Amino acid sequence: MSTLKIALLQISPCDSLEENLVKGLDACRKARALGADIALFPEMWSNGYRIYDRPVADWKAEAVAADGDFAAAFGELARALHMAVGITLLEDFGGQPRNSMVLFDRFGRKQFTYAKVHTCDFDVEANLLPGEDFYVADLDTAAGSVKVGAMICYDREFPESARILMLKGAELILVPNACPMEINRLAQLRARAFENMTAIATCNYPASVPDCNGGSSVFDGVAYLPELEGSRDTCILQTGADEGIFLAELDLDQLRSYRQTEVHGNAYRRPRKYGMLTETAVSPPFIRDIRR
């Protein structure tokens, strides 16, 4: 059996970039000691998502380059530990801030830098530059090559995010998060995994962080097995509210076999019928028409 071990680093941030660097590196070492093949951080770990109730200029000044020393330290540790790392940061992108994740493989090679596409423009995230695309990488892990993509927090609330990642081949979607993971948001993740036959791993901050409550999760996307009469619970990990490092084991053979035989994902889609989804001139039926 090919098993990918995913560590969710549900940890509280510190008060500075330097402290978050030290604590983050230590969390990665602990994850590797547990046997993790990949470690995932909550959203914007470099500054602990501390962008609320502060002057915008102050937190913008905390942005760091995706190819700078902070991210590079996690790439170096990924190589030393032989473990993939998804590190998150408030990124300085040509002088503009982005909410980003850098994915390193177990050899410390950068696979992609992903910036949150659906920024929360109804709030302070309107000051962030949104990303322009979704990425999938062939991630080299101890469990073999795995097609891994990413979406960040609010991206989860748009089914198109996970759908595009599935169409690009994602077997696993990593979701850094910083908000309350309540029943409806958990239901979104469950639905994204079910409808795309894709595993989804979400890492949130613990309840010690304002407006967060832990609840990190992994859904494996496999709703049916031949030996079961009905459907099964696709949730293979659901954490509580406390700080900790939590490990989930994803059965890749089972997922891949399921994707070859079941009816979801891209099996019976009719893309030519969905043109309205990309027609920007179409007036919405009841939602506010706010476009960038």
Side-chain angles (χ1 to χ4, degrees):
M1 182 175 72
S2 182
T3 301
L4 182 71
K5 297 179 180 179
I6 308 164
L8 304 180
L9 309 183
Q10 186 173 289
I11 54 178
S12 300
C14 305
D15 294 327
S16 70
L17 176 72
E18 294 75 18
E19 290 174 299
N20 286 336
L21 174 61
V22 171
K23 184 168 183 176
L25 294 174
D26 183 60
C28 286
R29 294 186 188 99
K30 291 176 179 176
R32 188 68 186 105
L34 293 173
D37 298 310
I38 181 169
L40 177 64
F41 281 85
E43 185 176 7
M44 208 184 289
W45 173 254
S46 67
N47 84 332
Y49 199 74
R50 293 173 56 245
I51 63 175
Y52 284 89
D53 302 320
R54 301 175 63 201
V56 172
D58 286 2
W59 61 258
K60 277 188 174 183
E62 297 171 350
V64 294
D67 59 356
D69 292 343
F70 178 82
F74 289 94
E76 292 167 7
L77 186 64
R79 177 177 54 80
L81 295 177
H82 217 50
M83 177 185 74
V85 176
I87 179 62
T88 59
L89 62 154
L90 175 61
E91 181 194 0
D92 182 343
F93 185 75
Q96 297 189 74
R98 300 201 307 181
N99 184 343
S100 301
M101 185 190 102
V102 179
L103 180 64
F104 293 102
D105 70 11
R106 62 181 172 140
F107 300 105
R109 300 175 300 205
K110 184 185 294 186
Q111 298 301 294
F112 58 70
T113 298
Y114 170 69
K116 187 176 186 176
V117 168
H118 300 97
T119 49
C120 300
D121 291 354
F122 50 82
D123 212 323
V124 69
E125 280 198 0
N127 295 282
L128 295 171
L129 181 69
E132 293 295 329
D133 203 355
F134 295 93
Y135 306 104
V136 172
D138 289 307
L139 187 69
D140 192 320
T141 76
S145 180
V146 184
K147 293 185 178 296
V148 178
M151 57 187 187
I152 296 177
C153 201
Y154 193 47
D155 284 329
R156 170 200 65 246
E157 304 199 18
F158 296 84
E160 295 86 353
S161 305
R163 183 64 88 186
I164 288 171
L165 288 165
M166 179 275 293
L167 291 174
K168 290 187 173 185
E171 298 173 295
L172 169 65
I173 300 174
L174 303 176
V175 188
N177 197 81
C179 71
M181 291 309 300
E182 40 73 48
I183 187 171
N184 294 302
R185 289 180 174 126
L186 288 169
Q188 288 175 329
L189 294 166
R190 184 185 294 276
R192 299 294 93 83
F194 171 76
E195 65 201 9
N196 292 298
M197 299 194 292
T198 302
I200 297 184
T202 302
C203 185
N204 196 28
Y205 285 106
S208 55
V209 175
D211 202 36
C212 291
N213 66 341
S216 299
S217 62
V218 179
F219 294 90
D220 68 7
V222 179
Y224 308 104
L225 291 175
E227 63 270 24
L228 298 180
E229 183 174 345
S231 64
R232 62 182 283 274
D233 188 353
T234 63
C235 183
I236 62 172
L237 175 67
Q238 176 72 66
T239 75
D242 294 340
E243 181 168 13
I245 297 172
F246 303 93
L247 197 69
E249 297 189 5
L250 176 64
D251 186 336
L252 291 171
D253 291 337
Q254 177 179 269
L255 175 62
R256 288 164 178 167
S257 175
Y258 180 77
R259 286 159 67 101
Q260 290 297 315
T261 58
E262 266 301 337
V263 300
H264 308 296
N266 197 34
Y268 295 99
R269 292 175 67 248
R270 295 186 175 179
R272 284 183 236 175
K273 304 296 184 182
Y274 311 149
M276 184 177 177
L277 293 175
T278 57
E279 293 173 5
T280 57
V282 174
S283 297
F286 64 95
I287 301 295
R288 301 189 306 278
D289 187 8
I290 300 174
R291 300 192 179 97
R292 296 185 80 79

